[in-house]
Amino acid sequence: MNFSSAKGLYIVGNAVSLSDGRKAIITGYGSYENQYWCEVYCNGSVNLGSADYFCTYGTSPVIVSLLPSEEAAIIASALKDELQKLVSKYGPSCAAVLCRRYGPISHIYG
């Protein structure tokens, strides 16, 4: 059953804590209820290669809590920095793709 239109516990832009101690920011929804696409924050930056789907239950690591909006702003800013590096490296065509992907959280780091 596809739950992509179902309301989950979190929304795009929420910063969350994972059960393995990492922090992440939700940038999209998964195909199932309470499944979220998250960019993982570690050591002051976002490693775009570590993004993955995380759920609120099931196989670890899972999302365990919501972080304060101040932390969301810090993580979103780190994500923006990494995105700008990609755009400067790969050019405008990369920027268009990234704007579509991360536009929904741009209000956090705008």
Side-chain angles (χ1 to χ4, degrees):
M1 184 172 183
N2 184 331
F3 293 98
S4 61
S5 62
K7 181 133 176 105
L9 298 173
Y10 301 101
I11 61 170
V12 169
N14 282 162
V16 294
S17 178
L18 302 174
S19 61
D20 61 4
R22 295 181 294 168
K23 297 176 182 179
I25 190 164
I26 296 172
T27 58
Y29 298 102
S31 297
Y32 303 101
E33 184 178 24
N34 293 315
Q35 182 184 49
Y36 305 91
W37 182 255
C38 298
E39 299 291 342
V40 177
Y41 177 78
C42 186
N43 297 323
S45 69
V46 173
N47 179 357
L48 297 177
S50 66
D52 202 352
Y53 286 106
F54 296 99
C55 295
T56 57
Y57 55 86
T59 306
S60 188
V62 296
I63 297 171
V64 292
S65 65
L66 182 66
L67 296 172
S69 59
E70 295 81 17
E71 285 195 68
I74 292 167
I75 297 170
S77 179
L79 175 60
K80 180 182 178 184
D81 292 344
E82 291 304 313
L83 295 172
Q84 288 175 333
K85 289 177 190 175
L86 279 178
V87 169
S88 66
K89 184 174 182 178
Y90 295 108
S93 62
C94 178
V97 171
L98 295 174
C99 284
R100 282 193 306 274
R101 177 74 179 104
Y102 299 108
I105 64 164
S106 63
H107 66 282
I108 298 172
Y109 57 76

